Amino acid sequence: MNKPFIMDHPLIQHKISLLRDKNTGSKEFRELISEVAMLMCFEATRNLPLKEVEIETPICVAKTKILSGRKLAFVPILRAGLGMVDGVLKMVPAAKVGHIGLYRDPETKQPVEYYCKLPTDITKRDVIVIDPMLATGGSAVDAINMLKNKGVTSIKFMCIIAAPEGLEALTKAHPDVEIYCASLDEKLNDHAYIVPGLGDAGDRIFGTK
Ligand code: PRP
Ligand code: URA
């Protein structure tokens, strides 16, 4: 199994503890998901290529660096991935955003596709798929299959909480995809929820339970 990048910065760990707390309400939960996504994005983009340019400061002409290489697109997996979008866009405001709608059938635990809308130039972009939860891995594997079927070649996956089962499934299906997560939890329970996890991320973000 490819090793995931685990982003265990103290600020991220602190915010995840608040996310895990069942007494954290939807407003605070949403804010925390967005903040953690922003901090993680900072790390996940650490290796973006740079090029040297000359810029005239008020003092002199300076050789300095700007981003080069391919542009970025973020693709949240609906619904819960939506909670991470404004956080990552604070870091990369010029990125485009595609949407993939998948929900997990409660009986089979298999993802069901219901929506896909991607930027027209998605194949020319580096894509970061975002979803707070990687549980069985089914949703992430399917979302990345959909992107690859459309011709996307450069894909990373960023989640907040991952289960070992999901990491294994995702690295097996897509060994070329780098995985960034903030916490590697213990296991899945009988309902395929992450333990200790934070419950149902979509319901907690949108207050639907
Ligand atoms: C959650 C989560 C992931 C998926 C993870 O979405 O946001 O997309 O489950 O589970 P998996 O790794 O076992 O596929 P859910 O299906 O609950 O839909 P929602 O975001 O609309 O609530
Ligand atoms: N989806 C969630 O939102 N939480 C889990 O623990 C598993 C899947």
Side-chain angles (χ1 to χ4, degrees):
M1 180 165 92
N2 279 0
K3 269 192 131 173
F5 295 87
I6 303 195
M7 297 170 175
D8 54 0
H9 187 286
L11 286 176
I12 295 181
Q13 288 193 55
H14 179 84
K15 288 174 194 295
I16 287 179
S17 298
L18 300 175
L19 282 171
R20 291 192 196 279
D21 187 340
K22 67 176 187 182
N23 295 313
T24 298
S26 279
K27 176 179 177 289
E28 195 188 349
F29 191 87
R30 264 197 301 274
E31 289 165 356
L32 287 162
I33 289 276
S34 169
E35 288 166 8
V36 171
M38 183 178 77
L39 295 169
M40 291 184 75
C41 182
F42 187 72
E43 276 298 312
T45 50
R46 178 175 287 280
N47 295 326
L48 287 183
L50 294 166
K51 68 177 175 194
E52 198 168 79
V53 293
E54 281 192 350
I55 287 189
E56 205 173 337
T57 77
I59 310 297
C60 67
V61 174
K63 284 193 197 311
T64 182
K65 289 178 179 166
I66 58 168
L67 291 172
S68 67
R70 287 158 40 116
K71 297 202 168 85
L72 280 180
F74 294 107
V75 177
I77 302 179
L78 310 183
R79 290 175 303 166
L82 283 178
M84 298 171 75
V85 172
D86 65 333
V88 295
L89 286 180
K90 281 198 181 112
M91 288 287 109
V92 193
K96 288 192 177 175
V97 181
H99 295 85
I100 288 181
L102 294 171
Y103 71 88
R104 251 181 18 163
D105 183 291
E107 298 300 320
T108 65
K109 316 286 184 292
Q110 293 304 307
V112 181
E113 179 190 335
Y114 62 90
Y115 191 73
C116 180
K117 182 82 179 170
L118 301 170
T120 49
D121 61 352
I122 189 88
T123 57
K124 299 196 184 78
R125 290 179 177 259
D126 291 335
V127 172
I128 303 183
V129 177
I130 51 179
D131 190 327
M133 311 303 278
L134 180 68
T136 65
S139 304
V141 168
D142 270 23
I144 293 168
N145 280 337
M146 288 163 72
L147 290 167
K148 287 186 174 174
N149 287 340
K150 304 238 179 234
V152 180
T153 54
S154 168
I155 305 174
K156 293 178 178 174
F157 179 79
M158 194 169 97
C159 63
I160 296 178
I161 310 262
E165 295 89 333
L167 273 181
E168 195 178 341
L170 182 51
T171 39
K172 196 167 164 212
H174 298 294
D176 55 310
V177 171
E178 284 178 357
I179 304 170
Y180 297 84
C181 73
S183 176
L184 177 52
D185 276 16
E186 203 183 312
K187 60 178 181 183
L188 295 178
N189 68 12
D190 294 343
H191 303 286
Y193 274 86
I194 301 174
V195 180
L198 47 70
D200 189 306
D203 281 340
R204 293 193 67 190
I205 290 170
F206 295 107
T208 39
K209 225 176 213 168

